[in-house]
Amino acid sequence: MKALIFDMDGTLTPSTKKISLEMMDTLSSIRPSYKKYLVTGSDLNKVVNQIPEEFLLKIFSKVFTCNGTRVYDTNLDLDDETKPLEPDLVHKIELIDHYSQADLNHLISRLLSIASESHTKYKTGTFLEWRGSQINFSVVGRNCSTDQRENYVIWDNKSNERRKIVKKLEEEFSGWGLGFNLGGQISIDITRKEWDKTYSFKHIPENPLDCIFFGDKVVEGGNDYNIAMKCGKYYDVSEPKDTILLLQKYLTKSK
């Protein structure tokens, strides 16, 4: 195996929370023979809010945001003043290049209608987050507090609300070429079917069979499933502590 690929929320960090010092120390101790890549559904602003930018530049060769559709080169020469000193955007794609504004307006209106129909206990606002190549949709809203998020996770596990919404959207937008996948704890990622996390392999030089993936949504319909299935090996984790334990065999020395 030549490369380790990591999801962020639930894998390297608690969902929406900052990375721990223990995780940073573990990642720093991985044998240098392994290339390391970060592939997340979040945008770069959320990534740097959870993982310090200087650490991204130190550890990862590339950072893939929005499920791999935005590619940042982080393998930079920080001693060369003529080169970028922050993650360098080298590739991006946009939904607007494939759909008319009228079509996107119709999709967004339908998502807001679905949010209004939900019987979840809390609705907090920011039900939609536009990420260029992706729409992140949450019926509880991305403004929710930690307690409200945990309440929704319990509700979703009991009701399977997100899976039911995905099925409804797949039926209503059949033929649009859209993919609907569970993202994180509270949301649904909406993008083109071919723009799931496997899209990142267009910009990862290693063969997928030489890669090991770490993620917490390696279930059918989860946004880690397709990339995990394409890799030579994968680990389905429940929390960052699992990742730390699994990484022990890839460290320079045992801890």
Side-chain angles (χ1 to χ4, degrees):
M1 296 296 182
K2 299 178 181 178
L4 307 181
I5 304 175
F6 299 92
D7 169 52
M8 183 175 71
D9 283 306
T11 302
L12 295 185
T13 74
S15 188
T16 73
K17 304 298 183 183
K18 295 187 182 300
I19 192 170
S20 70
L21 292 176
E22 184 181 11
M23 180 64 79
M24 292 173 71
D25 181 52
T26 301
L27 292 172
S28 298
S29 301
I30 292 172
R31 292 194 291 274
S33 58
Y34 291 107
K35 288 284 192 68
K36 295 174 286 295
Y37 301 100
L38 179 66
V39 183
T40 174
S42 296
D43 59 25
L44 188 64
N45 287 335
K46 286 184 171 57
V47 173
V48 297
N49 188 52
Q50 294 174 237
I51 302 176
E53 187 175 275
E54 58 270 23
F55 188 74
L56 293 174
L57 296 174
K58 174 186 174 184
I59 295 299
F60 298 103
S61 295
K62 287 188 177 76
V63 170
F64 298 85
T65 67
C66 301
N67 280 343
T69 58
R70 273 168 168 63
V71 185
Y72 294 87
D73 184 8
T74 49
N75 187 22
L76 307 177
D77 184 355
L78 300 180
D79 293 324
D80 187 343
E81 295 181 356
T82 67
K83 299 291 180 64
L85 298 178
E86 58 187 22
D88 185 23
L89 180 63
V90 295
H91 176 79
K92 70 174 182 177
I93 47 180
E94 304 278 350
L95 283 172
I96 195 64
D97 295 331
H98 295 264
Y99 300 94
S100 69
Q101 189 61 58
D103 284 341
L104 292 173
N105 289 348
H106 173 65
L107 172 61
I108 289 169
S109 294
R110 185 66 186 106
L111 294 173
L112 291 173
S113 175
I114 289 172
S116 73
E117 296 164 2
S118 170
H119 295 294
T120 183
K121 184 176 180 180
Y122 300 104
K123 296 182 183 180
T124 64
T126 312
F127 303 109
L128 299 174
E129 191 170 79
W130 178 263
R131 296 177 181 174
S133 59
Q134 173 188 322
I135 298 171
N136 183 265
F137 173 55
S138 171
V139 297
V140 66
R142 300 202 61 87
N143 290 351
C144 63
S145 66
T146 299
D147 287 345
Q148 290 166 337
R149 172 184 286 270
E150 291 174 354
N151 180 275
Y152 182 78
V153 170
I154 293 171
W155 159 255
D156 187 49
N157 287 337
K158 288 182 178 179
S159 68
N160 281 319
E161 179 176 57
R162 287 190 300 164
R163 289 189 179 276
K164 291 176 182 176
I165 291 173
V166 165
K167 183 178 180 181
K168 180 186 297 185
L169 290 170
E170 287 175 339
E171 293 172 353
E172 291 188 22
F173 292 92
S174 174
W176 282 52
L178 290 170
F180 305 90
N181 293 293
L182 305 185
Q185 294 178 308
I186 63 171
S187 62
I188 297 169
D189 290 333
I190 302 166
T191 188
R192 289 190 55 85
K193 286 182 180 178
E194 66 269 27
W195 293 356
D196 61 26
K197 287 185 177 182
T198 62
Y199 186 89
S200 61
F201 284 117
K202 292 179 180 290
H203 301 274
I204 292 176
E206 288 78 19
N207 187 304
L209 295 178
D210 290 326
C211 297
I212 303 170
F213 179 75
F214 296 77
D216 72 320
K217 286 292 179 290
V218 187
V219 292
E220 195 162 359
N223 67 357
D224 291 333
Y225 182 78
N226 289 343
I227 188 170
M229 295 302 104
K230 195 164 186 176
C231 287
K233 188 172 185 177
Y234 70 86
Y235 294 105
D236 185 9
V237 304
S238 298
E239 58 181 350
K241 288 181 180 179
D242 294 344
T243 307
I244 291 173
L245 289 174
L246 290 166
L247 282 174
Q248 299 307 304
K249 66 180 71 174
Y250 302 104
L251 304 187
T252 301
K253 58 183 179 179
S254 297
K255 288 186 159 302

